[in-house]
Amino acid sequence: MTQSPTRSGTVYLVGAGPGDPDLLTLRAARLLMRAEVVVHDGLVDPSILAMAPRTARMISVAKSRARHTLQQDEINALLVREALEGHDVIRLKGGDPFVFGRGGEEAEACHAAGVAVEVVPGISAAMGAAAAAQIPLTHRENASIVSFVAGQCKGLSEQNWAGLAGVGRTLVIYMGIATSEAIAEKLIADGLSPDMPLAVIENAARPTMRVLRGQLAGLAALVADNKVKSPALIVIGEVTGRGDMMELKQVLEAVQ
Ligand code: SAH
């Protein structure tokens, strides 16, 4: 019989930010560089995974259609098991662990099993994309309210979209590419102007980033014509129509 260790490990729920390793917090980088076990999902950039020591056990729980992947309760059980065996576990998640990252469920499972948890915040995709595309999420002239919404199918019909977008507000939609047509229809049916400007930001803070601009009525066509793929965010609101600061920067650089 194996003897149970006297001390169980800690589960660190660590935000890896939107992609660029420079956008990790120092705390995340320090933990990663001395990691023993890393449990990561698919959104985490390989250059960030490469920061873990060679001796670290890297466990991928990425969602993939091609192979069997762990269900959420299996992931929770894995974290608890590793910690109870005495290992410190770095649970690395894209963006921030508590923004559409199921970090809450994992923290609860650890607490229920008596396992210590530390949460390390990360730059969520909304902040990463806004910064990279130079779209301010708030602006004294255009927006003093920002909402983050999950746009995937489940819950789309029951979700109350009324009032989430409009004048004076910025709406950021995560996981909304597949349902972009239904989202635009719903917002327009709720009274939002079909001319409301928006931006779709794909692969924010990565070398492959694309920023596409358009209007609400043309959202589905913008996504389809440009073959936008996940991960991408939809940002709806006047802040996206304030003139393209990136283009302005390029024009200024060109005339210098
Ligand atoms: N916890 C993450 C969100 C996970 S949900 C966070 O805080 O950012 C996954 C969704 O996040 C994707 O469908 C996409 O909408 C968004 N996303 C994550 N990384 C992104 C990136 N680099 N660029 C654009 N969108 C991203």
Side-chain angles (χ1 to χ4, degrees), residues 178-192:
T179 49
S180 57
E181 187 166 7
I183 291 170
E185 278 170 10
K186 201 157 181 14
L187 290 172
I188 292 170
D190 283 342
L192 199 61

Side-chain angles (χ1 to χ4, degrees), residues 18-19 43 94-97 99-101 123-126 173-176 201-206 230-233:
L43 275 180
D96 181 272
V99 178
F100 305 128
I123 295 182
S124 192
I173 304 168
Y174 289 65
M175 298 172 280
I201 304 151
E202 182 188 62
N203 282 315
R206 297 175 183 181
S230 182
L233 284 179

Side-chain angles (χ1 to χ4, degrees), residues 15 17-20 41 43 63 93-103 122-129 148-152 172-177 200-206 209-210 229-234:
D20 183 348
D41 59 30
L43 275 180
K63 287 192 199 110
K93 292 167 165 292
D96 181 272
F98 278 178
V99 178
F100 305 128
R102 300 200 182 173
I123 295 182
S124 192
M127 284 72 169
F148 296 167
V149 171
Q152 82 272 51
V172 184
I173 304 168
Y174 289 65
M175 298 172 280
I177 295 305
V200 174
I201 304 151
E202 182 188 62
N203 282 315
R206 297 175 183 181
M209 177 170 90
R210 286 196 296 171
K229 294 204 179 62
S230 182
L233 284 179
I234 304 166

Side-chain angles (χ1 to χ4, degrees), residues 11-15 79 91 93 97-98 103 106-107 117-121:
V11 171
Y12 296 88
L13 298 176
V14 179
L79 300 177
R91 173 65 176 114
K93 292 167 165 292
F98 278 178
E106 293 175 8
V117 174
E118 182 184 318
V119 183
V120 181

